[in-house]
Amino acid sequence: MILVPLIGICALIAGRVDAIRGVEPTRLHLYEPSVENNEKYWHCLNHPEIKLRFDQVNDDFCDCPDGSDEPGTNACPYNGSSKFYCANNGFIPGYLESFKLNDGVCDYDICCDGSDEAEGVCPDKCHEIAQQFRKFSDEANNDMKISLKIKQKLQLAVQKKVDDITKKLQILKDELKKRQQRAQESPESATDGFTSSLKELAQQIKLTNSAIEKQKSTIRSLEKILSTMMDNYNPNFNDLAVKDAIKSFQDYASNKEDVQVGNLESKLQSVSQEAQAFSSPQKLGVFSHYINKAKDYFKSEPVILEMEDDEDITAIKQDISIYEEQLNRNYGPDDILRAIEGTWVSESLNGYTYKVGLLASIYQEDIHIGSYKAAEGTKLIYKDGSKCWNGPRRSAIVELVCGPQNRLLSVAEPEKCAYTFEVMTPVVCDSLTHEDLLANFHIDYDSL
């Protein structure tokens, strides 16, 4: 009665696996062998119908179609979903592509323990690399602390800037409302608007008179030609068309009337002065009616005597439009890009001096590379630069990276006349995660 359970316990102990090269601890249970007649067997993970002796695992020969019998060698075709596990005791575990195993190269950036190569080929360097990483992390976190402190000040400055614009905008809107109400209630303002319309009409009359004078000059030239032909015409020459033309011109000349239009410009000036005597909008409405009659004669647009259309109100409306555009423009999350708008960074790189105006323009020496158009995440888009010789117009993308100061780091031209710049600035900084630190950490192989 006691013998069977004891046999079962022994079988379980025999099937327990402490470690298999290339297999992470959470997957070790998949490699526990079964025991039959004191022999250990194992089944391919995705093909359980295939049974292998347990010593065929990691024997440098690929037996399973899915390659699961060779987690610690490169015997099986590469499978992107299955990677070699490096324990890296004392540092961070890593996962390496199987085709890099046993190739004679120490992949310390992933397997700092050297387990990707045969024993003795790559000494364990996890302790040294862990020290480098701690030093890098301390420096990076310290720089980030400084950068975030600067960014916090910039955010406060941005908020103050937005508040100032909002305050100015509201003052302008209140002033506009006040002036519009005053214009509607003030006869003097109405008279000013009416006088302005009269001046506009006088200008149109002046232009029309100029056109009439040109036509008169043309008519006088034609009359001179016909008069000369009439004086020198030979009546014995039998040309009916000429005779009819001479007769028509004689009739025209004898019936021509000299019409005097008078100086309309001076008359309008007189009316403008008299208009000052009118104090009610109702009377101005009458004037508006007759001015429209006159403007219809000269084929111009009708006069709309809106009391708010004086120069001051127009200027206020323009200022309101400018401030609203500034508030609605895309400046990234929390409007943070306002903090660097108009900031210039300059650096001599690759034999040229580059000047990058953030949210402004970019120059290579005196050549215009582009003007700022839009922001896409941490990228600033610049377009419409000077045209390249036998090429397109220059353009650029500025990639903003985190750092405690504004500085141009690098420039490249991956395509003809299309540039990429890397600019350091604190405005894109955020707290570092462990993953961020690992992604930016580079081993100093010379000191290993």
Side-chain angles (χ1 to χ4, degrees):
M1 296 295 293
I2 300 175
L3 183 60
V4 173
L6 286 174
I7 292 173
I9 291 171
C10 291
L12 287 173
I13 293 173
R16 191 173 297 164
V17 177
D18 293 328
I20 290 182
R21 185 173 188 248
V23 179
E24 61 184 310
T26 57
R27 288 174 56 86
L28 279 177
H29 67 281
L30 299 175
Y31 285 86
E32 290 179 355
S34 60
V35 179
E36 300 176 17
N37 299 323
N38 292 325
E39 291 288 337
K40 294 181 180 180
Y41 293 95
W42 179 80
H43 297 261
C44 298
L45 294 184
N46 295 322
H47 297 273
E49 71 277 7
I50 300 176
K51 184 171 75 170
L52 305 176
R53 295 189 317 275
F54 190 61
D55 59 11
Q56 289 179 271
V57 176
N58 279 340
D59 66 348
D60 206 23
F61 186 85
C62 195
D63 298 293
C64 296
D66 60 2
S68 58
D69 62 310
E70 297 297 319
T73 76
N74 58 4
C76 294
Y78 174 64
N79 181 354
S81 63
S82 178
K83 293 186 177 182
F84 178 84
Y85 171 76
C86 314
N88 294 341
N89 293 326
F91 192 46
I92 300 159
Y95 296 86
L96 185 70
E97 295 86 350
S98 61
F99 66 84
K100 294 181 180 180
L101 296 175
N102 302 320
D103 60 356
V105 177
C106 300
D107 296 293
Y108 284 134
D109 56 330
I110 297 175
C111 294
C112 63
D113 58 2
S115 60
D116 57 309
E117 301 299 320
E119 188 174 351
V121 174
C122 298
D124 188 334
K125 297 290 184 179
C126 287
H127 176 71
E128 293 89 336
I129 292 174
Q131 284 185 324
Q132 288 187 17
F133 179 72
R134 281 193 292 273
K135 181 180 178 183
F136 167 78
S137 298
D138 291 342
E139 291 175 352
N141 283 319
N142 185 59
D143 287 345
M144 181 58 70
K145 186 177 179 181
I146 295 171
S147 298
L148 289 176
K149 193 171 290 187
I150 296 171
K151 181 180 179 181
Q152 187 177 26
K153 290 181 180 178
L154 292 174
Q155 287 174 320
L156 293 174
V158 165
Q159 189 56 54
K160 183 179 183 304
K161 190 174 183 179
V162 171
D163 291 344
D164 288 345
I165 293 174
T166 304
K167 183 178 179 181
K168 289 176 182 178
L169 182 60
Q170 190 57 52
I171 290 172
L172 285 170
K173 287 182 176 180
D174 292 343
E175 182 65 21
L176 176 63
K177 184 177 180 181
K178 188 192 304 181
R179 285 177 179 265
Q180 287 174 336
Q181 290 175 346
R182 192 167 62 203
Q184 291 174 353
E185 298 167 357
S186 170
E188 291 77 11
S189 297
T191 304
D192 291 343
F194 176 73
T195 304
S196 175
S197 297
L198 283 177
K199 289 179 180 178
E200 181 187 350
L201 179 58
Q203 179 64 20
Q204 291 174 353
I205 290 174
K206 185 176 181 180
L207 293 174
T208 304
N209 284 343
S210 177
I212 290 173
E213 287 302 321
K214 287 183 180 180
Q215 291 176 352
K216 283 182 178 180
S217 177
T218 301
I219 291 171
R220 284 194 293 268
S221 297
L222 292 173
E223 286 177 344
K224 186 176 180 180
I225 292 170
L226 289 170
S227 179
T228 300
M229 185 177 72
M230 182 177 68
D231 293 339
N232 298 316
Y233 169 65
N234 184 357
N236 295 323
F237 186 71
N238 192 19
D239 188 330
L240 295 178
V242 175
K243 285 182 177 180
D244 288 342
I246 294 299
K247 185 178 183 306
S248 295
F249 178 66
Q250 288 172 339
D251 290 340
Y252 162 79
S254 59
N255 292 299
K256 179 183 175 183
E257 295 181 2
D258 189 12
V259 179
Q260 296 294 328
V261 177
N263 192 340
L264 293 178
E265 294 177 49
S266 62
K267 289 182 179 180
L268 276 174
Q269 181 64 30
S270 175
V271 171
S272 177
Q273 293 173 354
E274 293 173 4
Q276 303 299 325
F278 291 86
S279 59
S280 71
Q282 291 77 10
K283 291 181 181 180
L284 286 172
V286 176
F287 272 96
S288 177
H289 170 76
Y290 285 106
I291 283 183
N292 282 327
K293 288 283 187 182
K295 297 194 87 172
D296 284 341
Y297 175 78
F298 291 103
K299 308 297 183 186
S300 60
E301 294 297 321
V303 176
I304 302 174
L305 292 178
E306 296 180 1
M307 303 309 175
E308 70 274 16
D309 279 344
D310 57 44
E311 294 181 1
D312 289 341
I313 289 179
T314 301
I316 292 174
K317 286 182 176 179
Q318 291 174 345
D319 289 342
I320 288 175
S321 177
I322 291 170
Y323 283 127
E324 286 180 336
E325 192 275 332
Q326 287 181 356
L327 284 179
N328 295 328
R329 195 181 302 166
N330 177 24
Y331 283 101
D334 300 321
D335 278 348
I336 191 61
L337 294 180
R338 289 184 189 274
I340 57 172
E341 184 178 24
T343 299
W344 288 82
V345 290
S346 179
E347 199 71 45
S348 292
L349 300 167
N350 305 329
Y352 296 97
T353 297
Y354 292 92
K355 292 170 283 187
V356 177
L358 301 176
L359 281 72
S361 297
I362 299 177
Y363 292 89
Q364 180 194 62
E365 305 293 350
D366 294 326
I367 299 173
H368 182 224
I369 289 180
S371 298
Y372 172 73
K373 298 299 179 183
E376 297 177 1
T378 57
K379 290 182 173 64
L380 305 181
I381 311 301
Y382 292 73
K383 294 181 180 180
D384 300 332
S386 300
K387 196 173 187 302
C388 284
W389 176 256
N390 289 332
R393 286 193 172 277
R394 290 175 173 82
S395 62
I397 294 176
V398 175
E399 177 71 43
L400 302 177
V401 297
C402 173
Q405 58 183 307
N406 296 318
R407 185 157 66 89
L408 176 58
L409 300 178
S410 66
V411 60
E413 189 179 357
E415 297 179 25
K416 185 176 181 179
C417 301
Y419 300 81
T420 57
F421 293 85
E422 189 176 58
V423 174
M424 176 196 294
T425 177
V427 301
V428 294
C429 291
D430 284 309
S431 298
L432 290 172
T433 64
H434 188 66
E435 289 72 22
D436 293 331
L437 292 169
L438 284 174
N440 290 283
F441 171 63
H442 300 288
I443 298 172
D444 181 6
Y445 289 95
D446 293 336
S447 63
L448 289 180

